[in-house]
Amino acid sequence: MQMKDTVAAEPPQSRGELAPERKMSLTEKIQLDLGEKIRSGEFVVGEKLPREKDLVASFNVSRTVIREALAQLRAEGLIDIRHGVGAFVCPPPIHDAKIPFLPDSLKKRSDILELLELRKGVEIEAAGLAALRRSPAQYERIEEAFQDFCGALKHDDDSAAKDFDLHHRIAEATNNRFYLEFLDYISRQVTLDAPRSLYGGEQSRRLDKLTALEKEHRDIVDAIQDQDAERSRSAMRQHLKASEERFLTLKE
């Protein structure tokens, strides 16, 4: 008999309610296990992973769980899935690589505004793809990141980092690793580094207190949950437009 797709059933919760700690799902456990084997060199670059049916038998789970775990490994850039052929180990992703046309540091207000403009074009479409392609496990991670963000706002923690984590999870749910890698770089430049380097942490953190931030993110997450691509794009567009407007209120 196969194991259930999650370790323990979770009680339903209303939207906007802070989530209790949950146990790691089987998908996450398998993703972690295979990821460690790849990073440790047990599976070498170019090697084909065991067949899907062999992984199902090895981990004693459903095909859905295996496919979701492999999709996450692909989003991390650890494997390449060739349909009808199998999954192959990729060279380790280089997270510190520079994008040639972007500066090493953003020192001017105009640089950040232009990068925000670029970010809007990419993240709006990423939200739509996430709504169409996200798996149940990926949605759970998006919801969990949202709840962490709300908790950071409530407890006056570094909500910028939690904001980044949420956008990272949305990009991950596109199941296109290039969205993930691109947005990782762009979001870190704009969301975390730029406002604080230009204006100082205290002044930028005051924007995190705005209650509008929670609602903007809730609208995006709800649309992804409902798998409504157009509403997801619209909600992301409104959020990034509002973020740009908040940035412009900061004094030089």
Side-chain angles (χ1 to χ4, degrees):
M1 181 180 294
Q2 291 185 338
M3 298 168 64
K4 292 182 179 180
D5 287 1
T6 54
V7 175
E10 299 293 334
Q13 63 184 70
S14 60
R15 289 177 175 176
E17 181 183 345
L18 289 177
E21 285 190 23
R22 64 176 181 83
K23 294 182 179 180
M24 186 180 293
S25 69
L26 288 176
T27 297
E28 291 168 322
K29 285 188 173 183
I30 294 167
Q31 176 190 353
L32 183 63
D33 182 278
L34 292 175
E36 284 300 312
K37 289 178 179 177
I38 291 170
R39 293 184 181 94
S40 68
E42 186 172 336
F43 292 127
V44 300
V45 173
E47 182 178 353
K48 182 180 177 180
L49 294 185
R51 293 176 301 176
E52 186 180 280
K53 68 177 184 178
D54 293 330
L55 291 172
V56 167
S58 175
F59 288 103
N60 192 27
V61 294
S62 68
R63 284 182 180 269
T64 299
V65 171
I66 294 298
R67 288 172 180 171
E68 287 180 350
L70 292 177
Q72 290 305 309
L73 292 171
R74 181 180 185 274
E76 287 184 61
L78 294 178
I79 64 171
D80 177 32
I81 299 176
R82 303 173 195 171
H83 295 291
V85 181
F88 296 81
V89 177
C90 293
I94 304 174
H95 296 296
D96 293 329
K98 302 295 182 184
I99 298 177
F101 64 87
L102 293 178
D104 289 341
S105 60
L106 302 172
K107 298 180 179 178
K108 295 190 299 182
R109 184 185 182 94
S110 60
D111 286 339
I112 298 171
L113 289 173
E114 289 173 1
L115 196 52
L116 278 169
E117 187 174 65
L118 174 62
R119 179 183 164 189
K120 281 193 290 186
V122 176
E123 287 211 64
I124 288 167
E125 183 59 23
L129 290 176
L132 293 173
R133 298 176 178 176
R134 61 89 177 162
S135 68
Q138 286 171 329
Y139 173 72
E140 284 184 14
R141 284 190 284 275
I142 290 171
E143 177 67 32
E144 183 178 25
F146 171 72
Q147 299 297 342
D148 288 344
F149 172 69
C150 293
L153 286 176
K154 180 179 179 181
H155 297 104
D156 200 26
D157 292 333
D158 186 3
S159 57
K162 300 299 183 183
D163 187 335
F164 168 73
D165 288 342
L166 174 56
H167 284 265
H168 176 99
R169 292 301 186 188
I170 292 171
E172 185 178 68
T174 67
N175 291 306
N176 180 331
R177 70 183 181 89
F178 295 108
Y179 269 101
L180 187 62
E181 292 175 10
F182 187 77
L183 291 177
D184 270 1
Y185 185 86
I186 297 295
S187 295
R188 286 191 185 279
Q189 288 293 318
V190 176
T191 304
L192 298 182
D193 300 332
R196 284 156 177 76
S197 64
L198 280 177
Y199 303 109
E202 185 58 37
Q203 195 173 12
S204 60
R205 273 195 298 272
R206 70 183 174 83
L207 297 183
D208 296 345
K209 305 294 279 185
L210 298 176
T211 56
L213 277 172
E214 183 174 336
K215 182 182 185 303
E216 288 166 19
H217 286 90
R218 181 75 266 176
D219 288 345
I220 297 168
V221 173
D222 286 349
I224 291 173
Q225 180 184 30
D226 295 339
Q227 296 188 293
D228 188 328
E230 285 308 310
R231 186 154 57 92
S232 297
R233 292 186 184 100
S234 178
M236 182 64 80
R237 182 181 294 108
Q238 291 301 315
H239 167 55
L240 294 176
K241 180 180 178 182
S243 295
E244 185 178 59
E245 291 171 354
R246 284 190 288 269
F247 177 75
L248 287 170
T249 68
L250 289 169
K251 296 179 181 178
E252 296 194 33

